[in-house]
Amino acid sequence: MTASSAGARIGVVTFPGSLDDGDARRAVRLAGAEPVTLWHGDADLAGVDAVVLPGGFSYGDYLRCGAIARFAPVMTEVVRAAREGLPVLGICNGFQVLCEAHLLPGALIRNERQRFVCRDQRLRVENATTAWTRDLTAGATVTIPLKNGEGGYVADAATLDALEAEGRVVFRYLGADPNGSARGIAGITNERGNVVGLMPHPEHAVEAGFGPDGPRGPRTGTDGLALFTSVLGALVAA
Amino acid sequence: MGRIVVEVMPKPEILDPQGKAVAGALPRLGFATFTGVRQGKRFELEVDGAVTAEHLDAAREAARTLLSNPVIEDVVRVATIEEVDA
């Protein structure tokens, strides 16, 4: 099946405690696709062309961030479809869920300085070939909001070396590392490039008037929209 | 009713901000002899009747798959809790 960008349907999963599912659906709509609401208890993905796991505090972040959400009924299908190539984007809590689900390596731990960090964050785009970054340019700087308490990316040295060698670091923090993440890693992808997880929130930088400050003035930043338009191009190319 | 304890600790090489914060507070309260603190988690699993070997195997599997994340944590103990006379 080939999806055209006009008819693309992108599912956004709501877990108990998800916060940014509404913003993610809005970002999907602004990118030109149809957002589809998926529920954590759903047993299927309603035939969507891609899935977004949004930010928030799934299941209250009890046990560990994302650990309980990983076992939600909908995740069985997300994991199966992701392994077959379905584009999946995990933002913040969604990134934590992807790590707990073993779709991405490593884990996210409490910020090094014990503080919840909320700010506009500059990132360097390291990989512009994934399903979610093909409308960006490698080496470019983007600014999107960051807000998390447990955003420190960790993995063993061999995993970090492999991520670097295979070009699977997708975004890196510019300036001071806000979370104490290993090697300044803000986002990574799987080997196939269809699954991307990142801590900052592209869905909060998709519409002038509501995003970070940009070169055209206060709250004009819309760098996050490129992730959502990227996947439409990836679907057409698929 | 039997009870099984599962204890999970952050791996030694993983930064433990909670333990570090506690370590920083201890000297302020006069506890100057402790040179480090690591904070982990303790789970207590309950079963009907006495704890069997099968229960312990299931607890180990639960510890491995859900209660810990092997990327950042070690399961340091899975054991039957012996009831102690008060």
Side-chain angles (χ1 to χ4, degrees):
Chain A
M1 185 188 73
T2 304
S4 77
S5 64
R9 299 167 71 249
I10 301 183
V12 178
V13 177
T14 299
F15 298 101
S18 291
L19 288 179
D20 298 316
D21 43 343
D23 282 37
R25 290 194 298 271
R26 178 166 150 273
V28 165
R29 195 163 54 243
L30 287 169
E34 178 192 343
V36 175
T37 299
L38 297 175
W39 186 239
H40 65 106
D42 288 348
D44 74 89
L45 299 180
V48 295
D49 302 302
V51 167
V52 177
L53 304 180
F57 300 86
S58 57
Y59 298 86
D61 271 355
Y62 292 129
L63 188 58
R64 293 178 309 277
C65 299
I68 298 178
R70 170 203 168 185
F71 293 101
V74 75
M75 285 303 297
T76 304
E77 276 303 291
V78 170
V79 169
R80 186 194 61 72
R83 293 199 194 287
E84 291 178 2
L86 185 81
V88 177
L89 175 67
I91 302 165
C92 199
N93 195 222
F95 185 13
Q96 295 160 341
V97 174
L98 290 177
C99 286
E100 286 284 343
H102 309 311
L103 285 173
L104 294 174
L108 284 307
I109 65 169
R110 179 106 25 132
N111 292 346
E112 188 171 19
R113 301 182 70 175
Q114 288 267 72
R115 291 247 184 101
F116 190 96
V117 178
C118 181
R119 70 184 195 200
D120 293 344
Q121 178 66 50
R122 291 169 63 239
L123 305 169
R124 185 167 63 238
V125 179
E126 303 281 19
N127 181 337
T129 67
T130 77
W132 298 92
T133 56
R134 45 185 285 151
D135 284 355
L136 293 165
T137 305
T141 298
V142 296
T143 303
I144 61 178
L146 171 95
K147 51 177 181 112
N148 63 65
E150 304 197 24
Y153 182 75
V154 295
D156 60 38
T159 301
L160 293 171
D161 288 343
L163 287 173
E164 304 269 12
E166 295 164 17
R168 290 169 53 195
V169 175
V170 180
F171 295 103
R172 215 183 296 264
Y173 296 116
L174 282 173
D177 186 331
N179 311 120
S181 291
R183 304 188 192 181
I185 290 172
I188 57 172
T189 186
N190 63 345
E191 289 177 5
R192 194 165 173 169
N194 63 305
V195 179
V196 170
L198 77 167
M199 284 315 292
H201 288 259
E203 80 281 17
H204 295 331
V206 295
E207 189 174 17
F210 301 92
D213 294 347
R216 288 174 287 125
R219 303 211 168 277
T220 58
T222 57
D223 289 346
L225 193 59
L227 280 89
F228 299 93
T229 57
S230 288
V231 74
L232 303 186
L235 292 172
V236 172
Chain B
M1 180 191 72
R3 287 191 297 157
I4 299 167
V5 61
V6 175
E7 290 176 354
V8 174
M9 291 295 291
K11 283 182 182 294
E13 68 272 22
I14 295 285
L15 175 77
D16 173 18
Q18 294 180 113
K20 266 178 69 179
V22 174
L26 284 171
R28 295 199 291 275
L29 296 173
F31 299 103
T33 54
F34 304 113
T35 54
V37 179
R38 306 286 287 175
Q39 180 173 331
K41 295 178 186 140
R42 174 186 170 107
F43 303 88
E44 292 186 5
L45 311 178
E46 296 178 0
V47 299
D48 286 332
V51 173
T52 64
E54 286 74 28
H55 289 142
L56 281 170
D57 284 345
R60 286 189 197 95
E61 180 69 7
R64 193 180 63 77
T65 54
L66 176 65
L67 304 180
S68 74
N69 178 341
V71 176
I72 50 173
E73 295 168 325
D74 292 322
V75 177
V76 296
R77 185 170 170 231
V78 177
T80 304
I81 299 179
E82 304 295 345
E83 296 301 333
V84 179
D85 293 329

